[in-house]
Amino acid sequence: MINIILCGVGGQGTVLASKILASAAGARGESAHTAETIGMAQRGGSVVSHVRIGEDAYSPLIAKGCADTIIAFEPAEAVRAFPYLKKGGSVTVSSSPVKPVTDSLADKPYSADDMIEFLEKQDIRLTVVDGGEIIREAGSAKSLNAALIAAACASGAVPFSVEEIENVVRNELKAEYAESNLRAIAAGARAVLG
């Protein structure tokens, strides 16, 4: 069984990313459960999706300290979700900050570098990708989610091949969105594999 937390800011495609992972599991004949805590997502707030894959996954929610991996579309969201990660787990994170509306309203200072530095000091497998560069390569900010899934797969944090994720995107997304997502998947894998 694998427990995956996906986190980001509303509009970054966290929910779609969880569906892509669940579909990849289904294509293998594995069971998958997903759940989202959306809150103020439509207003740019934090979004967390839980994905549990395997026969022993009876509930969609992951308890704190039990996630095998976190895929974070934004550095502060990785730190916010960190309590879910098990000891020695994996984190795949975009280095590009997106300040949630809730933090903007509080006028809090925010440094993505501080968040990455915190993660680097933890006993985890950390993969940091340049989200801004991937967005430029893909031609769409909305495909960062697919790139981060590919980076997590390429790093071994998620037990799917990049090709399995590409197949889900080709088969389940509308053609008009699939192309930029496929470019993002290639860029995300390259960010890890070189």
Side-chain angles (χ1 to χ4, degrees):
M1 181 172 60
I2 183 165
N3 294 317
I4 304 166
I5 293 284
L6 298 113
C7 55
V9 174
Q12 287 190 295
T14 309
V15 175
L16 176 59
S18 68
K19 290 179 181 177
I20 290 171
L21 288 170
S23 292
R28 281 186 175 178
E30 298 178 4
S31 65
H33 299 279
T34 64
E36 290 79 31
T37 54
I38 295 176
M40 290 180 54
Q42 294 173 334
R43 295 183 181 90
S46 297
V47 181
V48 177
S49 291
H50 299 242
V51 180
R52 302 188 77 207
I53 299 169
E55 295 307 315
D56 295 334
Y58 301 112
S59 160
L61 294 177
I62 300 167
K64 288 188 177 177
C66 293
D68 297 291
T69 191
I70 293 173
I71 301 174
F73 306 158
E74 200 282 330
E77 294 305 318
V79 173
R80 193 183 319 264
F82 191 76
Y84 284 100
L85 192 66
K86 73 179 187 182
K87 186 172 182 164
S90 299
V91 175
T92 302
V93 60
S94 168
S95 61
S96 301
V98 177
K99 192 172 183 180
V101 169
T102 50
D103 287 345
S104 297
L105 293 174
D107 198 29
K108 297 177 185 175
Y110 168 52
S111 166
D113 293 340
D114 291 344
M115 302 298 142
I116 300 295
E117 186 177 323
F118 167 83
L119 294 168
E120 288 172 340
K121 292 178 180 177
Q122 307 307 309
D123 182 22
I124 59 174
R125 288 178 45 219
L126 178 64
T127 302
V128 180
V129 296
D130 184 343
E133 179 60 29
I134 287 171
I135 288 169
R136 283 187 287 280
E137 283 187 48
S140 171
K142 293 188 175 194
S143 55
L144 178 62
N145 55 358
L148 287 167
I149 292 172
C153 292
S155 73
V158 174
F160 297 112
S161 69
V162 172
E163 292 77 20
E164 286 174 292
I165 301 304
E166 288 173 333
N167 288 337
V168 170
V169 167
R170 277 191 198 96
N171 294 330
E172 298 194 16
L173 295 187
K174 291 180 181 178
E176 60 192 278
Y177 303 119
E179 187 177 328
S180 64
N181 278 282
L182 290 170
R183 284 195 304 268
I185 289 168
R190 266 195 314 276
V192 174
L193 301 174

